[in-house]
């Protein structure tokens, strides 16, 4: 029987660098988001652990640091199988049989109160505290963590795969995560009490998509979790968790729920003439059963209901439009702050921009470009692949290099484009630099040192680099799609009685000509209209893309979820 041991730990004094990434879900007593969690903390034990403060150290730390000097007994997540050996469910089983945990009914709900941070600034208000189970594929350093661990999570690579592709047992790995997430609130003392049945499950993408299905198929028919709600967050609809139909039996779902996950590939996508195309689609099941659905921008929430952006799910998503919304991701404004960034040559702010030109000169010097503070410096940071529009850049560079500009690129991906970057640097020694790979300090220095950031993505559910760029007074030129369209306002010099409005430029359609036209308009504004350019910079720097702002919008969706009746299928 596959099983997981669950124990409770108190702190993480260290985080060993040699261990692999594991999967986790994080129940938290109030709304919180990834940037607030601090540094990641990984573990090497074969346990599922809750920590009251800090993260996780090694297995010995997790098991030895116990309350009042007494080791706490753990719980086993056991797989239930039918007579054929198929998994039909998972349950957490107490080893001690002890209960003695307060009911969540004994814990008062704290209504909103105004608070200030350590520097006296007013924090964003929260209206109500909720019991939230947030499923993530990364570990972070916060209170009340629960880590799901299994031997299948101990391997080189990232949570999804390695250099050879996706792991072949991902269905099992993520199914285990989802079953553990559903069982833990019922039995684990989180913050001194069981979360119980009234909680909100926040499932990210297909990897956590089985949770809404489990609530609807396994729990609610038996009167369990009837007061809980599920929120599905779609970051990238292109990834859906599609498996052969024969693997449905491994999800631990009743046979009659097959239709919720049923998926048939179109004829052109089948591997051979005898292939019936029958499959199961985890994300489809989540879309069918989730109480509410979110994407990471309003623009993307519309795009996924179209034939072009829906990846075969557009009709289903359109049918659920009444519960579909979009909220832009926040950014870590402590890490990305030009007034204190440790990676850049000089500091500056919206009130004093003088340090930005010093960052530009330092970047030109570091990369071996002519140090010309008056020359427009264009930057690109991202994966070198088709989605990011790297092919457009490749076609446009010969024309762009005829202008008096410099261009810096940072990224890795398709070997074809990596080699193209190297060759282009050799051809345009005084104008072009390509850094193959990814380097966090360099990404900060490019963001601070460039005048313009180019993002010609074919689709972009949210996008973060344009948000970093605006915070650093670097003007984005982006394809008008998804989160890029939502966050970058095209400059209009005639608005606001001639003072202008806008934070950059968007272009459409997605073509070399359209992109070059937008870039050249930005370059002309930079050269000939300095006051307008400074206004664009400052408006971008003043935009509020903090997680506090996003949290307020999330709270509103949480409230809507509990107003509506839960999904019953």
């Amino acid at each position: 029987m596959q099983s997981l041991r669950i124990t409770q730990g108190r702190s993480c004094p260290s985080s060993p660098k040699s261990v692999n990434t594991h999967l986790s879900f994080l129940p938290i007593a109030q709304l919180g988001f990834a940037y607030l969690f601090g540094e990641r903390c990984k573990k090497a034990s074969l346990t599922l652990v809750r920590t009251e403060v800090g993260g996780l150290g090694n297995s010995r730390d997790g098991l030895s640091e116990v309350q009042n000097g007494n080791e706490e007994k753990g719980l086993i997540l056991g797989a239930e199988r039918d007579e054929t050996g198929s998994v039909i469910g998972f349950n957490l089983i107490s080893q001690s049989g002890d209960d003695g945990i307060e009911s969540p009914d004994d814990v008062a709900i704290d209504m909103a109160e105004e608070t200030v941070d350590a520097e006296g600034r007013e924090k964003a208000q929260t209206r109500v505290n909720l019991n939230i189970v947030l499923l993530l594929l990364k570990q972070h350093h916060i209170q009340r963590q629960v880590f799901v661990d299994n031997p299948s999570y101990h391997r080189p690579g990232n949570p999804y795969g390695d250099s050879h592709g996706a792991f072949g047992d991902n269905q099992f790995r993520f199914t285990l995560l989802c079953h553990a997430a559903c069982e833990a609130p019922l039995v684990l003392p989180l913050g001194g009490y069981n979360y119980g049945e009234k909680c909100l499950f926040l499932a990210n993408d297909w990897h956590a998509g089985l949770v809404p299905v489990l609530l609807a198929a396994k729990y609610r028919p038996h009167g369990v979790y009837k007061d809980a709600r599920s929120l599905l967050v779609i970051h990238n609809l292109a990834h859906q968790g599609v498996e052969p139909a024969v693997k449905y039996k491994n999800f631990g779902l009743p046979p009659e729920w097959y239709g919720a996950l049923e998926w048939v590939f179109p004829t052109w996508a089948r591997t051979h003439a005898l292939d019936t195309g029958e499959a199961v689609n985890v994300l489809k099941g989540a879309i069918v059963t989730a109480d509410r659905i979110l994407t990471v921008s309003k623009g993307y929430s519309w795009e996924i209901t179209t034939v072009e952006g829906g990846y075969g799910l557009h009709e289903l998503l359109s049918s659920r439009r009444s519960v579909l919304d979009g909220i832009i991701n926040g950014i870590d404004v402590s890490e990305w702050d030009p007034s204190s960034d440790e990676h850049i040559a000089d500091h500056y702010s919206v009130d004093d921009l003088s340090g930005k030109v010093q960052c530009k000169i330092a970047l030109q010097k570091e990369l071996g470009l002519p140090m010309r503070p008056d020359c427009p410096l264009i930057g690109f940071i991202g994966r070198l692949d088709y989605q990011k529009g790297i092919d457009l850049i490749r076609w446009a560079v010969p024309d762009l290099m005829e202008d008096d500009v410099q261009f810096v690129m940072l990224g890795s991906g398709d070997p074809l484009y990596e080699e193209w970057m190297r060759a282009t640097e050799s051809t345009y020694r005084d104008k072009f630099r390509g850094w193959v790979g990814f380097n966090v300090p360099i990404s900060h220095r490019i963001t601070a040192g460039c005048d313009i950031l180019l993002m010609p993505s074919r689709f972009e559910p949210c996008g973060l680099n344009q948000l970093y760029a605006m915070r650093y007074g670097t003007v984005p030129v982006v394809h008008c799609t998804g989160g890029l369209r939502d966050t970058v306002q095209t400059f209009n010099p005639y608005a606001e009685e001639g003072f202008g409005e806008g934070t950059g430029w968007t272009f459409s359609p997605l073509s070399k000509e359209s992109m070059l036209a937008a870039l050249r308009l930005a370059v002309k504004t930079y050269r000939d209209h300095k006051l307008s350019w400074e206004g664009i910079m400052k408006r971008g720097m003043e935009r509020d893309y903090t997680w506090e702002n996003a949290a307020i919008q999330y709270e509103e969706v949480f409230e809507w979820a509990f107003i509506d009746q839960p999904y019953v299928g």
Side-chain angles (χ1 to χ4, degrees):
M1 179 180 72
Q2 290 284 352
S3 64
L4 293 177
R5 179 175 172 81
I6 303 170
T7 59
Q8 300 178 31
R10 291 182 63 88
S11 65
C12 178
S14 63
S15 176
K17 296 182 179 179
S18 60
V19 298
N20 300 326
T21 302
H22 312 297
L23 307 179
S24 69
F25 71 93
L26 297 86
I28 50 180
Q30 61 183 1
L31 183 61
F33 295 91
Y35 100 92
L36 296 171
F37 298 163
E39 295 186 3
R40 301 176 188 175
C41 194
K42 303 177 182 178
K43 65 184 177 61
S45 62
L46 302 181
T47 58
L48 183 158
V49 180
R50 176 181 67 84
T51 58
E52 295 181 359
V53 291
L56 293 178
N58 55 38
S59 59
R60 188 167 299 172
D61 293 330
L63 293 174
S64 63
E65 292 203 48
V66 297
Q67 297 179 0
N68 301 322
N70 297 317
E71 183 172 334
E72 298 183 15
K73 295 193 174 181
L75 298 165
I76 293 294
L77 180 63
E80 301 177 19
R81 299 181 182 270
D82 61 17
E83 61 277 3
T84 68
S86 298
V87 177
I88 60 173
F90 295 85
N91 286 291
L92 287 173
I93 307 165
S94 173
Q95 296 189 97
S96 63
D98 295 335
D99 197 340
I101 301 170
E102 296 180 58
S103 164
D105 296 333
D106 299 330
V107 181
I109 299 296
D110 298 325
M111 301 308 290
E113 65 178 59
E114 189 172 300
T115 58
V116 295
D117 62 17
E119 299 179 6
R121 296 172 299 189
E122 184 178 323
K123 287 183 177 180
Q125 289 188 352
T126 56
R127 286 182 286 275
V128 64
N129 288 344
L130 297 173
N131 290 331
I132 300 173
V133 180
L134 173 62
L135 283 88
L136 297 173
L137 303 183
K138 298 178 182 178
Q139 294 76 27
H140 300 278
H141 186 81
I142 66 167
Q143 293 183 335
R144 299 170 190 162
Q145 292 181 342
V146 177
F147 288 79
V148 181
D149 204 354
N150 183 268
S152 65
Y153 302 154
H154 288 260
R155 60 183 58 155
N158 59 51
Y160 315 100
D162 55 22
S163 59
H164 301 290
F167 294 132
D169 60 348
N170 273 347
Q171 182 202 47
F172 167 77
R173 299 167 72 242
F174 296 127
T175 295
L176 190 63
L177 170 69
C178 293
H179 277 275
C182 290
E183 286 291 312
L186 300 176
V187 296
L188 285 184
L190 305 168
Y193 63 93
N194 280 12
Y195 273 22
E197 298 179 24
K198 188 171 184 179
C199 55
L200 176 72
F201 291 88
L202 203 160
N204 291 281
D205 291 321
W206 80 263
H207 315 90
L210 199 60
V211 166
V213 185
L214 287 169
L215 295 180
K218 179 183 176 183
Y219 293 95
R220 286 173 182 160
H222 301 285
V224 181
Y225 280 135
K226 59 184 181 297
D227 295 323
R229 298 294 186 271
S230 61
L231 174 63
L232 171 67
V233 183
I234 299 174
H235 298 264
N236 191 336
L237 191 67
H239 306 290
Q240 300 179 6
V242 179
E243 295 277 353
V246 69
K247 290 192 175 183
Y248 175 81
K249 64 182 181 180
N250 296 328
F251 286 124
L253 294 170
E256 61 269 22
W257 276 83
Y258 175 80
L261 279 69
E262 184 178 15
W263 183 255
V264 179
F265 282 103
T267 303
W268 61 265
R270 300 176 189 178
T271 56
H272 52 78
L274 300 179
D275 185 357
T276 61
E278 295 179 0
V280 285
N281 186 321
V282 176
L283 188 61
K284 179 209 169 186
I287 293 170
V288 167
T289 55
D291 296 304
R292 295 204 71 92
I293 304 168
L294 272 178
T295 66
V296 288
S297 70
K298 289 189 180 298
Y300 193 58
S301 71
W302 170 79
E303 287 178 6
I304 62 176
T305 64
T306 67
V307 174
E308 296 80 6
Y311 289 90
L313 294 173
H314 52 284
E315 292 182 356
L316 175 60
L317 285 160
S318 295
S319 72
R320 304 223 63 199
R321 198 189 301 269
S322 63
V323 297
L324 175 61
D325 298 282
I327 297 174
I328 290 289
N329 283 334
I331 61 174
D332 185 343
V333 293
S334 61
E335 179 184 358
W336 292 90
D337 184 352
S339 67
S340 60
D341 192 331
E342 64 180 12
H343 300 302
I344 62 179
D346 204 350
H347 294 148
Y348 58 96
S349 68
V350 69
D351 299 317
D352 181 6
L353 294 170
S354 59
K356 184 166 176 61
V357 69
Q358 299 304 318
C359 292
K360 179 178 183 177
I361 294 171
L363 179 64
Q364 290 171 327
K365 181 179 180 180
E366 180 178 6
L367 298 180
L369 288 169
M371 289 181 284
R372 297 180 55 200
D374 60 324
C375 180
L377 181 55
I378 304 168
F380 170 90
I381 302 172
R383 295 195 314 276
L384 306 181
D385 63 19
Y386 183 75
Q387 181 207 331
K388 298 300 181 181
I390 192 68
D391 53 322
L392 264 70
I393 297 177
R394 182 187 181 192
W395 298 334
V397 159
D399 291 336
L400 188 61
M401 293 294 97
E402 293 179 3
D403 301 339
D404 185 20
V405 298
Q406 294 176 341
F407 195 8
V408 176
M409 297 182 66
L410 170 66
S412 62
D414 190 325
L416 171 68
Y417 295 121
E418 292 181 352
E419 187 56 37
W420 166 78
M421 280 173 52
R422 297 185 182 100
T424 303
E425 180 175 313
S426 299
T427 303
Y428 305 101
R429 291 295 303 170
D430 291 337
K431 289 190 170 186
F432 185 94
R433 287 293 181 273
W435 186 301
V436 176
F438 188 74
N439 182 293
V440 171
I442 288 295
S443 70
H444 281 246
R445 292 199 278 275
I446 290 176
T447 302
C450 286
D451 302 299
I452 298 168
L453 183 79
L454 177 62
M455 293 184 68
S457 303
R458 280 182 164 75
F459 69 93
E460 196 67 69
C462 177
L464 293 176
N465 286 332
Q466 83 278 13
L467 306 182
Y468 300 146
M470 287 188 286
R471 182 156 172 81
Y472 279 63
T474 301
V475 176
V477 174
V478 303
H479 177 221
C480 190
T481 184
L484 301 180
R485 175 176 51 208
D486 288 359
T487 55
V488 179
Q489 181 184 18
T490 294
F491 173 58
N492 179 0
Y494 306 107
E496 302 295 328
E497 299 181 349
F499 288 97
E501 67 178 10
T503 58
W505 279 267
T506 63
F507 62 87
S508 185
L510 184 65
S511 66
K512 181 187 80 170
E513 293 75 19
S514 180
M515 182 181 73
L516 282 173
L519 276 174
R520 284 169 172 159
L521 184 55
V523 168
K524 181 174 177 59
T525 305
Y526 171 84
R527 289 190 187 279
D528 301 338
H529 305 281
K530 292 296 186 182
L531 286 179
S532 293
W533 188 264
E534 185 173 310
I536 298 170
M537 293 171 62
K538 289 186 174 182
R539 284 189 292 273
M541 296 178 78
E542 290 168 349
R543 288 289 184 96
D544 182 3
Y545 290 114
T546 61
W547 270 113
E548 283 89 348
N549 184 45
I552 294 171
Q553 300 174 65
Y554 266 86
E555 285 184 333
E556 187 174 34
V557 175
F558 294 168
E559 291 178 1
W560 295 343
F562 281 95
I563 291 172
D564 297 336
Q565 291 298 309
Y567 177 89
V568 178

